[in-house]
Amino acid sequence: MARASRRLRSAMWLLYQYRKMRAFLAPAVAGRRVILHIGPHKTGTTTMQATLQRNRGLLAPYLYLVPRRDTPLRLLTILTRNTYRPRQLARNADAMTQAARRLARSCRHLPVTLITHEDLMGARPTLRNEHGLYAVAPDKLALIVDAFESEGARVEIVFYRRDFAEWLESLHRDIGKGGKPGGLGRRFGFPADWEPLLGAFRDRFGTRLCVLSFDADREAGRMGLGLLRLAGVPDATIEGIDWSPPRRVTSAATLAPRGLA
């Protein structure tokens, strides 16, 4: 068993080295798209990522999915998770830019690349006892977008919007603490809805920001449907998708056909 595991790790390492060499040698694709799906947490992101991963072969003609374990992406998300105050942003800005440019160069030869990671905005709210909702997220994403665009990519940012009160309840269950969801929001200084955060994103990114409906995907029973359509995957291919069941649900009630939390 140990020998098989070592062989698998060696094969994965060789595949990663091949990908790096291919990206280095292949010419850059002009006008290439990079789609950044940034979450937020508790909006079905884990379920979407599972669906994308299990259907990578089917989706390959239309987009390339960057694996969560991809080294440049991991380095970038380590920085974004640990940058949640202005002084940390000032200290980490150069490293974040370099990590984003490295990630951009690794997919320079691909016409459409999908990067999906909820930690690009930062760690899950309340995780580090920080107040506010994804503090400095617009500034972090601006650095990442600028880095990708400096490498010739056209960036689109995808935010899945869920009813804020329902999202807060899901976050409250995920944390597993007592009290009421509203009290959690007051304790950590959350706004009344998503608009302050989305307004800051719109000011920074304009039409590069695409807000998709969590409820629309959930009602269809296909989390990630809007994301695939945005990426340009044909409906005929979408019909052949093997959709993942809900992942990381926080309440048994959410396993009903209507969706997940």
Side-chain angles (χ1 to χ4, degrees), residues 111-216:
V112 181
T113 299
L114 174 59
I115 300 169
T116 168
H117 206 301
E118 61 278 13
D119 288 346
L120 287 169
M121 282 203 294
R124 187 201 67 194
T126 75
L127 188 63
R128 292 182 172 86
N129 211 33
E130 289 294 316
H131 282 233
L133 190 63
Y134 294 108
V136 304
D139 298 321
K140 286 187 289 189
L141 286 173
L143 286 173
I144 294 169
V145 169
D146 288 347
F148 270 91
E149 291 185 341
S150 72
E151 295 292 331
R154 177 165 57 91
V155 180
E156 300 162 51
I157 299 171
V158 177
F159 183 104
Y160 263 87
R161 182 170 189 160
R162 184 178 185 180
D163 176 80
F164 193 80
E166 185 183 67
W167 174 81
L168 189 59
E169 289 179 5
S170 182
L171 178 66
H172 185 262
R173 290 194 300 269
D174 193 49
I175 294 170
K177 293 185 178 179
K180 297 180 179 180
L184 180 73
R186 289 189 294 273
R187 175 185 172 190
F188 288 96
F190 290 171
D193 53 38
W194 293 112
E195 277 310 309
L197 180 62
L198 288 176
F201 283 164
R202 291 189 192 102
D203 289 343
R204 283 295 186 94
F205 307 115
T207 58
R208 288 175 295 187
L209 174 69
C210 181
V211 180
L212 298 181
S213 170
F214 172 89
D215 281 339

Side-chain angles (χ1 to χ4, degrees), residues 210-233:
C210 181
V211 180
L212 298 181
S213 170
F214 172 89
D215 281 339
D217 281 18
R218 179 167 63 175
E219 292 294 346
R222 298 176 172 187
M223 293 308 304
L225 177 61
L227 182 61
L228 290 174
R229 286 178 170 163
L230 176 71
V233 179

Side-chain angles (χ1 to χ4, degrees), residues 33-35 48 51-53 55-67 107 110-116 224-234 237-238 241:
R33 296 173 68 195
V34 172
I35 302 171
M48 296 181 207
T51 293
L52 292 164
Q53 183 63 36
N55 293 277
R56 287 184 68 187
L58 183 65
L59 297 172
Y62 310 104
L63 60 86
Y64 171 72
L65 173 68
V66 176
C107 54
L110 300 162
V112 181
T113 299
L114 174 59
I115 300 169
T116 168
L225 177 61
L227 182 61
L228 290 174
R229 286 178 170 163
L230 176 71
V233 179
T237 300
I238 289 175
I241 292 289

